[in-house]
Amino acid sequence: MLIDGELRLTAGGATFDVVHPATTEVAGQATDGTVADMDCAVGAARRAFDGTDWSRDVEFRYHCLIQLADALEEQKEHLRRVLITEVGCPVSVTGSQIDEPINEVRHWAEHGRAFEYVTDNGVHETPLGPAHRKVFYEAAGVVGAITPWNVPFYLNIAETMPALMAGNTVVLKPAQLTPWSGSELGRIVAERTDIPAGVFNVVVSNANEVGAALSADPRVDMITFTGSTATGRAILAAGAATVKKTLLELGGKSAHIVLDDADLSASLPMAAMMGCVMSGQSCILPSRILLPRKRYDEGLAILAASMANFPVGDPWTPGIMQGPQISQTQREKVLGLIRSGVESGARVITGGGVPGNLPVGYYVQPTLLADVDPNARVAQEEIFGPVLTVTPYDTEDEAVAIANNSIYGLSGEVSSADVDRAVSVARRMRTGNVTINGRSHFGIRSPFGGIKQSGLGRRNGEEGFREYLESKTVGMPG
Ligand code: ADP
């Protein structure tokens, strides 16, 4: 852990195992931090915010983040091995999970340096004479960052770098299954940067109560969280007592509306790939495919061929695109949802179980379920596995209604030969982001986030930086 500038283990030395999902073998240990460790880390972050110039010295912050980006770049092959070991994600898909996030550290450094922290709000008449108002954008304060296990290195960066660059101090609490991406980030901050003691802290733990302690601590001004909707609700409730600012990026169950004029041979192989890379362990993947009834069989055949031939296997082997699920518990959850789909009348077109050629490791076959009832659990609950559901529709209105029949509203996709038509359908989707014909909505310069129970607030883009700032309007004579 990194607490108050010191790299240390928890008192008493308790540890927990980190398991490599491709072999199910214990790869090593992580220190098992406690609520007392979290208390120290929050105290340190509070003192660093209140007692140093960190929040006011943008050039120093820039210097520190560039130092960090350089050090991460030097150690990126080590970080890649750590990531593959704890997540089991294929080496071939780590570009977006290691290389791009390191560039994003530089992005936030530049963005924060160029940001206008004071704006002129003009002169306004008041009973006591004209008031000249200026708006100062200031750091929110102490930010607690709680991250999940699916893309740990990226999300540790995505949650903490804009927060730091905006002048906040941070306590990062990585997920239990992926402690090392977080502890390595803490080590590199401590060993290789001038970031002052207490400004950046990492508390690793195997206990949910340590994250809960962070989200309830009155000394914390803001929580930024990525994870399940259930945990997001708990975090929001825990912060209510102190009216904490809360940024939540939660679950999704996104629909892909394939319009009747779409080029199926272009859009559906891509849809199959999106469903399987990262073993389906992604909140934004469009996992509900809606096909026009008159092109249903044609579409199913293309999806089935793509999924049946999808390269699943050892994540260390180049060319493999789908590794194991992260844990036995997650695999059981995925297989259970597939079974519930079948019980509700869905037809298994391909996959449906554990690959016979991969008896070791938490693998699940790429699975295509057809004739899925839009109200079935498998169409309503986030699966977090390599499973696509397919539902036929007759009219565009019906497709939009099925897409919107969800507690979630994170992402979505539309495929059509007519981009204007696709845009008008995208505008009707109750979701925070939409991809059209495979041109992704997702990137560091574009706001990203959910509506409904998919979250609160935005990451990335201008909005994603402002989330970590509060505006202070100052009125003065003149
Ligand atoms: P999953 O259910 O997929 O493991 P979660 O959303 O529960 O994902 O976990 C994401 C992060 O939230 C992890 O870092 C986890 O430790 C943390 N967490 C879990 N429960 C709580 C809680 N009650 N309060 C704060 N953080 C929590």
Side-chain angles (χ1 to χ4, degrees):
M1 295 186 286
L2 172 60
I3 300 178
D4 207 5
E6 196 191 337
L7 290 172
R8 64 173 181 80
L9 306 176
T10 192
T15 61
F16 62 100
D17 291 342
V18 177
V19 172
H20 181 39
T23 61
T24 75
E25 281 166 9
V26 174
Q29 275 74 39
T31 193
D32 194 3
T34 60
V35 169
D37 292 317
M38 182 55 79
D39 184 62
C40 289
V42 173
R46 186 76 257 168
R47 284 193 302 280
F49 187 80
D50 295 336
T52 73
D53 271 348
W54 178 256
S55 67
R56 288 178 294 276
D57 192 345
V58 67
E59 283 305 315
F60 179 58
R61 299 201 299 270
Y62 177 81
H63 157 81
C64 290
L65 260 70
I66 295 297
Q67 274 183 322
L68 178 60
D70 290 344
L72 292 171
E73 188 72 43
E74 266 177 43
Q75 301 191 33
K76 81 176 177 188
E77 295 315 318
H78 166 70
L79 292 165
R80 198 185 313 275
R81 286 192 294 276
V82 166
L83 178 80
I84 297 168
T85 302
E86 59 181 9
V87 180
C89 82
V91 63
S92 300
V93 303
T94 54
S96 61
Q97 299 196 38
I98 293 287
D99 306 72
E100 283 179 31
I102 294 173
N103 290 334
E104 293 186 5
V105 179
R106 290 185 208 284
H107 166 87
W108 289 119
E110 300 293 347
H111 189 95
R113 190 192 214 185
F115 187 81
E116 224 182 316
Y117 292 90
V118 192
T119 59
D120 197 313
N121 187 246
V123 177
H124 305 260
E125 284 312 317
T126 76
L128 296 181
H132 184 189
R133 294 183 192 143
K134 290 185 182 177
V135 183
F136 295 83
Y137 292 92
E138 300 179 345
V142 174
V143 173
I146 302 175
T147 53
W149 47 258
N150 60 336
V151 269
F153 181 77
Y154 165 66
L155 284 167
N156 291 340
I157 295 289
E159 289 198 8
T160 64
M161 292 305 137
L164 282 178
M165 195 56 207
N168 301 277
T169 61
V170 170
V171 179
L172 169 65
K173 211 298 290 172
Q176 288 88 324
L177 291 169
T178 53
W180 288 344
S181 291
S183 55
E184 286 297 278
L185 181 60
R187 178 183 63 75
I188 293 170
V189 164
E191 291 178 352
R192 299 293 303 279
T193 76
D194 297 326
I195 293 178
V199 165
F200 186 72
N201 306 272
V202 183
V203 178
V204 167
S205 172
N206 196 28
N208 280 342
E209 63 179 359
V210 173
L214 178 62
S215 62
D217 196 304
R219 296 167 295 178
V220 173
D221 297 287
M222 173 175 174
I223 293 287
T224 175
F225 171 75
T226 304
S228 64
T229 293
T231 303
R233 289 188 200 108
I235 286 172
L236 200 56
T242 51
V243 197
K244 263 187 227 330
K245 187 168 185 177
T246 310
L247 174 48
L248 301 174
E249 204 264 272
L250 308 177
K253 187 72 187 175
S254 301
H256 179 169
I257 301 180
V258 180
L259 294 174
D260 53 9
D261 62 353
D263 178 354
L264 302 190
S265 62
S267 65
L268 294 180
M270 183 69 82
M273 191 186 79
M274 288 300 293
C276 300
V277 287
M278 297 173 62
S279 310
Q281 298 174 147
S282 157
C283 51
I284 57 173
L285 67 87
S287 57
R288 294 184 290 144
I289 312 278
L290 310 185
L291 287 179
R293 199 178 299 277
K294 58 188 170 200
R295 302 190 68 188
Y296 192 60
D297 290 339
E298 184 193 350
L300 281 181
I302 296 171
L303 284 168
S306 304
M307 291 182 86
N309 295 318
F310 202 75
V312 184
D314 176 30
W316 302 95
T317 305
I320 289 293
M321 299 294 281
Q322 179 193 324
Q325 308 310 116
I326 198 165
S327 68
Q328 175 65 6
T329 307
Q330 281 300 314
R331 175 162 74 171
E332 286 307 318
K333 191 185 143 207
V334 173
L335 294 173
L337 273 162
I338 294 172
R339 280 194 298 275
S340 91
V342 172
E343 282 158 18
S344 67
R347 200 157 41 103
V348 178
I349 304 292
T350 185
V354 171
N357 62 333
L358 295 165
V360 177
Y362 306 125
Y363 293 94
V364 173
Q365 289 176 310
T367 298
L368 185 65
L369 298 178
D371 312 343
V372 171
D373 176 345
N375 292 310
R377 270 184 69 206
V378 78
Q380 289 291 326
E381 291 180 25
E382 190 171 34
I383 302 175
F384 244 51
V387 182
L388 294 179
T389 68
V390 190
T391 300
Y393 70 85
D394 290 306
T395 65
E396 212 171 281
D397 285 350
E398 188 191 358
V400 170
I402 296 171
N404 290 341
N405 173 19
S406 175
I407 63 165
Y408 298 112
L410 188 55
S411 170
E413 183 157 355
V414 184
S415 293
S416 171
D418 178 344
V419 173
D420 291 339
R421 185 179 169 209
V423 169
S424 75
V425 170
R427 295 290 306 272
R428 297 175 67 195
M429 292 170 89
R430 294 271 301 137
T431 172
N433 320 269
V434 183
T435 285
I436 291 176
N437 292 349
R439 303 299 165 93
S440 175
H441 60 75
F442 190 77
I444 186 75
R445 290 181 174 76
S446 313
F448 166 76
I451 62 169
K452 298 200 268 182
Q453 294 187 38
S454 287
L456 284 178
R458 294 292 178 264
R459 299 201 188 287
N460 293 346
E462 182 63 27
E463 286 92 332
F465 189 68
R466 282 181 189 267
E467 294 280 358
Y468 296 95
L469 295 163
E470 298 279 13
S471 70
K472 178 188 282 175
T473 304
V474 178
M476 61 197 85

